[in-house]
């Protein structure tokens, strides 16, 4: 029986077992390859998506566990003001090197600013600590998040929510 999952605002039917990790369903069943496979063991953060706005490791989230939850992936990041602000800040700070980890970094950063629009430096470090970057772009990632936090975009989004 197909598993129904709401992804980026659309209910998708995935013809796969309930225990299939969401990452596999996104990439292999739905062809949504923006979300990356890194470790497959919830250790690197490359596969981060949101379920109801909360950062989740899709490699260790079975599709059958999502239920009514709403999944957001990197493909939909630019649909919100906050997501666009983060994308712009990433470009402005020239964050990326190889880019492989960056979808996960952006999804974790968005989830942080959604729940805490004005994070301290320590809170940014804590929220991003599970996202590994082999190119060590950590300083620029932090600068980009700080830039968006200071712009007030996330705060504005929260006030309108
Ligand atoms: S691929 Fe999911 S945390 Fe590494
Ligand atoms: S930019 Fe290369 S792994 Fe992060």
């Amino acid at each position: 029986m197909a598993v129904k999952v709401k992804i980026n605002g659309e209910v998708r039917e995935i013809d796969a077992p309930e225990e299939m990790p969401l990452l596999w369903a996104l990439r292999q069943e739905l062809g949504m390859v923006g979300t990356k496979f890194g470790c497959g063991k919830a250790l690197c953060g490359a596969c981060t998506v949101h379920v109801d706005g909360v950062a989740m490791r899709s490699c260790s989230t079975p599709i059958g566990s999502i239920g009514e939850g709403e999944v957001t992936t990197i493909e939909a990041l630019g649909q919100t003001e906050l997501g666009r602000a983060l994308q712009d800040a990433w470009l402005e700070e020239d964050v990326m090197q190889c880019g492989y980890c960056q979808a996960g970094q952006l999804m974790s950063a968005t989830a942080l600013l959604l729940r805490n629009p004005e994070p301290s430096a320590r809170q940014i470090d804590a929220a991003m600590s599970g996202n590994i970057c082999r190119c060590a772009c950590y300083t620029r990632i932090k600068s980009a998040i700080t830039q968006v936090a200071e712009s007030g975009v996330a705060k504005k989004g929260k006030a309108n929510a």
Side-chain angles (χ1 to χ4, degrees):
M1 202 176 79
V3 181
K4 287 185 183 174
V5 185
K6 195 167 187 186
I7 302 170
N8 299 339
E10 196 184 329
V11 177
R12 306 294 300 263
E13 291 202 13
I14 303 164
D15 194 13
E18 293 208 333
E19 50 288 1
M20 174 180 275
L22 176 59
L23 177 62
W24 270 244
L26 289 171
R27 291 184 59 87
Q28 292 183 11
E29 305 299 320
L30 301 174
M32 298 173 70
V33 294
T35 306
K36 300 301 183 209
F37 170 71
C39 63
K41 295 182 175 175
L43 297 171
C44 75
C47 67
T48 304
V49 298
H50 297 176
V51 178
D52 292 333
V54 176
M56 302 280 284
R57 304 300 188 233
S58 62
C59 69
S60 54
T61 303
I63 50 175
S65 71
I66 297 165
E68 300 294 307
E70 295 200 18
V71 175
T72 307
T73 70
I74 190 73
E75 283 87 354
L77 186 70
Q79 291 175 9
T80 64
E81 194 179 357
L82 176 58
R84 283 193 298 277
L86 280 161
Q87 287 173 328
D88 290 346
W90 245 241
L91 291 175
E92 218 166 285
E93 295 288 334
D94 204 8
V95 168
M96 289 161 283
Q97 201 162 313
C98 81
Y100 197 81
C101 71
Q102 296 296 336
Q105 303 281 1
L106 278 159
M107 295 310 285
S108 288
T110 315
L112 164 66
L113 293 178
L114 279 173
R115 72 169 187 277
N116 179 3
E118 296 177 293
S120 65
R122 196 173 290 185
Q123 286 169 330
I124 294 174
D125 289 340
M128 300 302 294
S129 64
N131 285 79
I132 308 301
C133 177
R134 292 190 63 146
C135 304
C137 301
Y138 299 112
T139 307
R140 298 197 296 275
I141 290 169
K142 193 170 176 180
S143 301
I145 296 171
T146 305
Q147 187 190 120
V148 175
E150 287 175 352
S151 76
V153 172
K155 220 170 143 187
K156 200 167 89 190
K158 202 138 187 133
N160 293 338

